[in-house]
Amino acid sequence: MSAADYDIVRYAPRYKEQIAALPTTLWSTDPALNLSYFEWKYEQNPYVDEPLFYLALRGGRVVAMRGAYGAVWEAGPDRATVSVPCFADLLIEPEHRNRGLVTRIMEEALSHFEELGLEYAFSPSANWVTALASKAMGWREMGPLRAMRLAQPPPFLARLRKSAPTGQLARIRERVARIPGSRRTYRTVRGLAARARRFRPLAASRVRDGESDTAFSAFDSRVNRRRGEGGVSASREARPEAMAALVKEGGGDGRIRHVRDPAYFAWRFRNPLRRYRFLLSEDQSLNGYLVLGSSVQVSARQASILDWEGADSRARAGLLRAAIEWGDFQSLTIWSESLPAETRTLLEAEGFHLIEYGDDLRVDRPRILVRSVGKRDPRDWKLGDRPLLERASWDVRMAYSDAY
């Protein structure tokens, strides 16, 4: 069979049950949870009137899909807003791969975008496989992006570091490093161990009941007993109006960023496949917030800083220190590309280090892909006065990617 033997169609409600049953390797193994995720992401999205979802059918059955969720972006000195949908959730059943379905589905999607009068499409969560396929179809990467991570040592190693004489651990590391192949062996073992302990089978019933919060177990047990510096508190729910007001008061420097209005905050952090915690800094009103996120499938205390705003450096620092102290995370990650030097210095002072991804194209790292809906020269791709393919044009945050 070839791609011509399939029917490429746009979403209709009669396909929803099939969609929920299809992505067992993409979302979860529970169709009910998948259905909840689909409805949140595509039907409850505040920026589109109907789901932007495209399907490949064989004999009337859904065998492949690609979604694009609604998003509104702003750029330029006047913060002009533009609707730019973001592609996500690509899946093709194994027996139907390598038949050109991705190209046909994308052609249908872009044709639909053109009918809607859209100029661009983004892909802010593409893995390396999707990125390679997309670049062959005219997509360009804005990047590469960088990230920083705070990695806490295991308890036994932390105790060893405290008890070992100064310089002793460094001398041990130097001696081990001289052993042929030791570095390669260490990286391999560390990678396999991280993968083994990171993911576990998704217990859908526990997720729906809100019991699978391993990443925030320490955070939740401590937050009720402590209060951070500068009046920092924590919540499981966003405060859309107050958070949007803080973003608006902060203005912006004209870089490309997602619109963060009350509708955005009310919708974005209700993803049923993720867990979130909100740290809030308040004086007379909200003067800062920090959003932590983690997958419900992660069994370790691993989290990410998805969004972070503060009226001043004191508010931002108080939020970060509370997140570190309360969370006791094994790792805490943030996209650092767009952060000002002052904020990167603050992160470094708290122990964050730049993640080295290397040159391997197969590594999944932060990336944002962009594409013109029409056949415009990439040199002319702009939002407002900002060139889309220049990193300096963007204010990027993990919250803009549906992968978190």
Side-chain angles (χ1 to χ4, degrees), residues 255-273:
R255 289 182 296 170
I256 300 167
R257 67 182 189 181
H258 198 291
V259 167
R260 287 173 291 166
D261 54 11
Y264 167 82
F265 285 115
W267 168 78
R268 171 62 181 86
F269 301 111
R270 296 196 178 280
N271 181 348
L273 297 181

Side-chain angles (χ1 to χ4, degrees), residues 33-196:
L33 184 59
N34 294 340
L35 186 61
S36 177
Y37 176 80
F38 176 86
E39 291 173 344
W40 161 76
K41 191 171 187 176
Y42 296 102
E43 293 187 333
Q44 298 166 13
N45 185 286
Y47 301 115
V48 292
D49 296 326
E50 59 183 0
L52 303 176
F53 213 83
Y54 309 91
L55 308 166
L57 308 181
R58 178 65 181 169
R61 188 176 71 87
V62 175
V63 298
M65 67 180 195
R66 187 79 199 266
Y69 58 94
V72 175
W73 302 76
E74 59 183 15
D78 58 352
R79 301 198 321 191
T81 59
V82 182
S83 178
V84 182
C86 296
F87 277 102
D89 299 323
L90 170 64
L91 182 70
I92 302 175
E93 288 188 337
E95 61 268 30
H96 299 279
R97 293 172 185 170
N98 301 316
R99 295 175 183 172
L101 288 181
V102 174
T103 299
R104 286 202 61 198
I105 290 174
M106 290 300 298
E107 287 174 348
E108 177 63 27
L110 293 173
S111 175
H112 189 200
F113 290 178
E114 195 165 14
E115 292 175 16
L116 297 173
L118 302 173
E119 294 187 84
Y120 298 103
F122 296 161
S123 180
S125 57
N127 59 30
W128 71 271
V129 176
T130 303
L132 289 177
S134 298
K135 289 177 181 180
M137 292 184 283
W139 290 78
R140 299 295 181 90
E141 181 172 350
M142 187 287 295
L145 300 178
R146 290 177 289 187
M148 299 178 73
R149 176 175 295 146
L150 173 66
Q152 302 283 9
F156 78 91
L157 184 56
R159 291 193 295 270
L160 177 61
R161 286 182 176 178
K162 290 181 180 179
S163 62
T166 303
Q168 183 173 328
L169 290 178
R171 289 193 294 272
I172 293 173
R173 283 196 298 268
E174 289 176 3
R175 292 173 183 173
V176 172
R178 296 192 191 108
I179 302 174
S182 63
R183 294 181 183 274
R184 186 182 304 107
T185 301
Y186 170 73
R187 287 195 297 267
T188 301
V189 172
R190 184 179 64 176
L192 292 173
R195 293 179 185 178

